[in-house]
Amino acid sequence: MTADSSKNERYNARAAEARWQQTWDERGIFATKNDDPRPKYYVLEMFPYPSGRIHMGHVRNYTMGDVVARFKRAMGNAVLHPMGWDAFGMPAENAAIDRKVHPKAWTYDNIASMKAQLKSMGLSLDWAREIATCDPAYYRHQQKMFLDFLRAGLVERKQSKVNWDPVDHTVLANEQVIDGRGWRSGAVVEQRELTQWFFKISNYSEDLLTALDTLDRWPEKVRLMQKNWIGRSEGLALRFMLDPATTPNKESELEIFTTRPDTLFGAKFMALSPDHPLAQAAAAKNPKLAQFIEQCHQMGTSQAAIDTAEKMGFDTGIKALHPFDASWKLPVYVANFILMEYGTGAIFGCPAHDQRDLDFVNKYGLGNTPVVCPDGQDPATFVITTTAYDGDGRMINSRFLDGMSIDEAKEEVAKRLERETRGNRPVAQRQVNYRLRDWGISRQRYWGCPIPIIHCDKCGVVPVPEKDLPVTLPEDVSFDKPGNPLDRHPTWKNVTCPNCHGPARRETDTMDTFVDSSWYFARFTDPWITTAPTDLKCVNEWLPVDQYIGGIEHAILHLLYSRFFTRAMHKTGHIGMDEPFAGLFTQGMVVHETYRSKSGDWVEPANVKIDGLGDARRATLAATGEAVEIGGIEKMSKSKKNTI
């Protein structure tokens, strides 16, 4: 072989791969037939948001799924390996504002660009099943399921405290608030009270919890994260007497929920949520308390925001009586770390054995009394200073409980207080609580799935008739002002009531985009059906997904919501199972440094020039030389623009 012939036979990747990819497309090599008799295998990677360019996280994720798909085909399986686009969301609206383009045009241009990039990778995808969640052909079925869920009692409209993102001008679910900030904008969230639509995920708290034990092909870390988020706790609902002489309107009792009734003799204070009725009644007569409550509302409503904030309280002057000693009076505070949505919105504080309570009493000089002594410690010398003790041990300083184990003390307290009655009701009752709150899906933005509801002054809330679905978004909208363009649209929101035929208004909130991604895996099984969200035969044969692949950052948001949605689809007849993903692989995250301009905007790495090393390292905008702040190394994310 001559040198020239060897050179001519060198593999030309650019030419060969394009040629073979064209052949695969022409022959439909990776198209999957629903009537294929071979054993079925469904492999799916979490579908991408069409930001315009794929990054290394995409490459890694989709390569892993492709390896599994090709292996299973080689083993003789009929493999379903589809692709689509999680296409609604705030970035499209932000692009509309920044670039003066319509969100739809920006989104579909990005889809075309990213599809070409993904195709160039030679992935073995069934592109015939491609879906985009912003396509009315997709979201009409989502609207249909919303109406089905509403009829089934799984949707509720109610007023509630919400997390408000002042930059994106929209509500965020608790799960979308990270360290007190919006998950996309990074802005410090505020509390507002709005009327919202909720999916009643809390109806499935126990089922979502216990079924985690059946998901043996899920990472233990993800299952633990979901268990902690659902947060099952067993305890006592306990009614404390109040001194009526100290209450604003002669209130006589305060109900609390506690998981640690064994520590009652270590109680030093009571604490109310700022939104508790007793706190509100006291604030109506105390302007300084009203001002304190207003300050509390400047922080987010999520547990994470509450836990990380400085513990603040206001002594109301109200006194509560200890359930075992009426002469023992406890001060009642309003505190910024108590959530109205958990338990009763009121607690008793035992600072020696709860770090949050200890931080509080150390700030306000209330002291602490240890009531659980670790084995091996001398009760006479055991003290608590800055670190609460939450371990096992024996009861001390607790009168008739002294010497008991924690479990024995819990049982003894429960028995004694359950025997006592007040107003024909027991003083205490055993109760199970969950941390999981209902899923608020209302978003004050344009580029999302319209909620199929009409508001009529005469008839109230009226579902859109199914024959009128889909409710599509108007295209003639303006983004020249903050907030939701649907609210400002001159005609779209004005409709005729389907019941009384009088004037009415459309719901202008759109659905949280996590709704779109909570059932797409089911739609892939037959994306051509027009009469229903799913073909029952196809969806029940293909699901659950055999191997699901995606980032662990979705352990709470996407995965928990999808598990709820599948159950809701089961209840309303759109699917025949509860669990959507049999096997889950979390591939880890590709990370990169972050950069911010003087104005606080995120800056893409491609636009940053780095000079120097170590402590002398400096960053500037390549185009202007303006100084840029170098931030932490975080997962590649569209919102922080730290993608390659």
Side-chain angles (χ1 to χ4, degrees):
M1 182 182 291
T2 66
D4 284 344
S5 64
S6 172
K7 184 178 179 180
N8 290 339
E9 290 181 14
R10 178 176 292 172
Y11 177 65
N12 185 335
R14 188 179 297 275
E17 293 189 13
R19 184 173 68 251
W20 279 111
Q21 287 167 24
Q22 183 179 349
T23 301
W24 295 341
D25 282 348
E26 290 169 354
R27 296 184 183 178
I29 296 295
F30 305 122
T32 307
K33 293 183 174 63
N34 281 340
D35 57 358
D36 193 317
R38 293 176 297 170
K40 290 175 168 49
Y41 193 90
Y42 189 176
V43 56
L44 183 66
E45 308 88 22
M46 294 179 186
F47 64 166
Y49 180 81
S51 56
R53 292 176 294 176
I54 65 171
H55 55 67
M56 290 309 298
H58 292 126
V59 173
R60 190 169 187 227
N61 198 34
Y62 300 126
T63 300
M64 288 176 178
D66 197 51
V67 169
V68 175
R70 288 177 182 274
F71 173 75
K72 286 295 180 180
R73 282 193 202 93
M75 297 298 289
N77 291 85
V79 172
L80 178 56
H81 187 212
M83 177 58 71
W85 310 97
D86 192 7
F88 273 138
M90 279 303 301
E93 286 194 45
N94 292 339
I97 296 166
D98 295 341
R99 299 174 175 84
K100 309 292 189 219
V101 296
H102 195 281
K104 180 178 178 180
W106 184 83
T107 299
Y108 278 101
D109 283 350
N110 287 349
I111 286 174
S113 172
M114 290 180 70
K115 183 174 180 179
Q117 290 175 310
L118 286 172
K119 280 200 158 190
S120 73
M121 288 177 62
L123 302 169
S124 62
L125 292 163
D126 183 356
W127 284 104
R129 295 174 186 254
E130 180 183 8
I131 56 177
T133 59
C134 65
D135 184 344
Y138 179 84
Y139 69 69
R140 69 172 293 184
H141 299 296
Q142 190 163 297
Q143 292 172 342
K144 153 79 171 147
M145 287 191 290
F146 177 94
L147 297 176
D148 289 347
F149 293 0
L150 183 64
R151 280 189 289 269
L154 295 175
V155 178
E156 184 178 16
R157 188 171 185 258
K158 60 186 176 181
Q159 195 171 60
S160 72
K161 284 283 188 296
V162 297
N163 302 301
W164 180 259
D165 188 315
V167 171
D168 282 343
H169 293 276
T170 189
V171 167
L172 301 176
N174 280 341
E175 295 88 342
Q176 293 165 324
V177 179
I178 312 299
D179 296 331
R181 295 177 179 270
W183 73 295
R184 279 200 184 279
S185 72
V188 176
V189 299
E190 303 166 0
Q191 282 188 36
R192 290 196 181 180
E193 191 157 290
L194 295 174
T195 301
Q196 301 278 288
W197 289 99
F198 289 84
F199 282 153
K200 298 178 77 171
I201 187 172
S202 64
N203 285 17
Y204 292 94
S205 296
E206 185 64 24
D207 184 39
L208 288 165
L209 180 67
T210 56
L212 286 167
D213 293 334
T214 69
L215 300 177
D216 53 2
R217 289 180 51 224
W218 279 41
E220 181 55 34
K221 182 179 179 181
V222 174
R223 293 195 289 175
L224 181 61
M225 289 168 75
Q226 289 207 4
K227 283 179 182 177
N228 290 340
W229 190 263
I230 295 166
R232 185 183 195 274
S233 54
E234 297 182 26
L236 281 187
L238 168 59
R239 294 187 292 147
F240 278 73
M241 291 287 288
L242 296 174
D243 179 353
T246 65
T247 59
N249 300 309
K250 305 299 181 185
E251 291 89 348
S252 60
E253 66 177 33
L254 175 64
E255 186 168 334
I256 62 110
F257 172 78
T258 178
T259 60
R260 293 296 305 271
D262 54 301
T263 64
L264 267 169
F265 288 103
K268 290 294 179 182
F269 67 97
M270 311 293 292
L272 308 173
S273 161
D275 299 308
H276 193 282
L278 184 58
Q280 294 292 311
K285 298 183 176 182
N286 186 333
K288 289 186 177 179
L289 174 56
Q291 187 178 6
F292 173 78
I293 288 174
E294 187 55 37
Q295 289 174 355
C296 293
H297 289 160
Q298 299 307 308
M299 58 194 288
T301 65
S302 71
Q303 187 69 57
I306 304 291
D307 289 345
T308 55
E310 182 186 358
K311 306 299 177 282
M312 304 284 288
F314 188 101
D315 189 348
T316 63
I318 300 169
K319 300 294 182 183
L321 313 184
H322 195 282
F324 289 120
D325 185 345
S327 67
W328 181 349
K329 295 188 176 182
L330 297 162
V332 179
Y333 281 75
V334 174
N336 67 343
F337 59 91
I338 308 301
L339 279 170
M340 191 62 218
E341 290 78 17
Y342 182 76
T344 65
I347 65 152
F348 81 85
C350 176
H353 305 291
D354 183 290
Q355 190 61 47
R356 190 179 59 170
D357 296 347
L358 183 61
D359 294 341
F360 187 79
V361 298
N362 284 347
K363 179 169 184 171
Y364 292 103
L366 301 177
N368 75 80
T369 301
V371 292
V372 179
C373 184
D375 292 335
Q377 285 267 10
D378 180 1
T381 59
F382 180 58
V383 295
I384 298 291
T385 53
T386 58
T387 304
Y389 177 68
D390 60 2
D392 208 354
R394 292 279 162 183
M395 305 306 298
I396 59 172
N397 302 321
S398 296
R399 304 186 188 183
F400 56 83
L401 300 177
D402 283 352
M404 293 184 183
S405 69
I406 289 174
D407 287 342
E408 289 168 342
K410 284 182 178 179
E411 186 62 27
E412 182 62 24
V413 168
K415 281 181 180 176
R416 290 194 182 212
L417 294 178
E418 283 174 320
R419 283 198 301 264
E420 267 190 65
T421 58
R422 193 184 303 138
N424 297 321
R425 288 171 56 210
V427 170
Q429 291 178 291
R430 295 170 207 248
Q431 190 171 298
V432 174
N433 270 7
Y434 298 91
R435 181 171 175 258
L436 182 64
R437 306 270 70 86
D438 283 334
W439 174 12
I441 65 160
S442 298
R443 297 293 178 269
Q444 294 67 39
R445 59 155 185 257
Y446 165 75
W447 194 235
C449 173
I451 295 173
I453 290 293
I454 291 168
H455 299 281
C456 173
D457 290 338
K458 183 178 177 182
C459 306
V461 171
V462 182
V464 171
E466 287 185 22
K467 65 180 177 58
D468 294 337
L469 299 181
V471 177
T472 56
L473 293 166
E475 297 204 9
D476 57 332
V477 288
S478 167
F479 295 91
D480 56 347
K481 298 176 185 175
N484 185 356
L486 294 176
D487 266 338
R488 304 189 299 269
H489 197 280
T491 59
W492 180 84
K493 66 181 181 181
N494 299 316
V495 291
T496 299
C497 174
N499 285 354
C500 70
H501 307 295
R505 301 169 308 282
R506 288 197 189 281
E507 173 65 70
T508 57
D509 286 352
T510 54
M511 295 188 202
D512 181 7
T513 53
F514 280 96
V515 180
D516 312 339
S517 58
S518 290
W519 72 284
Y520 78 106
F521 44 86
R523 185 66 184 170
F524 272 141
T525 62
D526 187 349
W528 306 283
I529 185 172
T530 59
T531 55
T534 59
D535 177 285
L536 274 175
K537 181 175 184 295
C538 292
V539 76
N540 290 337
E541 285 180 353
W542 280 113
L543 285 180
V545 175
D546 295 282
Q547 185 62 65
Y548 199 36
I549 302 170
I552 198 166
E553 71 271 24
H554 296 294
I556 304 298
L557 288 164
H558 166 59
L559 292 171
L560 189 60
Y561 290 161
S562 296
R563 295 181 63 222
F564 158 73
F565 216 88
T566 307
R567 284 162 168 78
M569 289 177 72
H570 191 177
K571 182 172 183 176
T572 51
H574 298 297
I575 205 167
M577 66 204 65
D578 288 342
E579 289 296 339
F581 313 120
L584 174 67
F585 181 74
T586 53
Q587 83 280 21
M589 292 179 282
V590 181
V591 298
H592 195 279
E593 202 165 55
T594 54
Y595 309 102
R596 266 190 159 158
S597 67
K598 280 183 179 177
S599 61
D601 296 328
W602 300 105
V603 181
E604 294 178 353
N607 299 329
V608 174
K609 180 185 176 186
I610 303 290
D611 294 302
L613 297 170
D615 292 340
R617 206 162 164 266
R618 298 289 180 269
T620 56
L621 282 176
T624 65
E626 177 190 321
V628 172
E629 177 190 347
I630 300 176
I633 295 173
E634 301 187 40
K635 81 174 184 74
M636 280 192 184
S637 115
K638 297 176 288 293
S639 59
K640 294 185 174 64
K641 296 189 177 179
N642 62 333
T643 57
I644 299 295

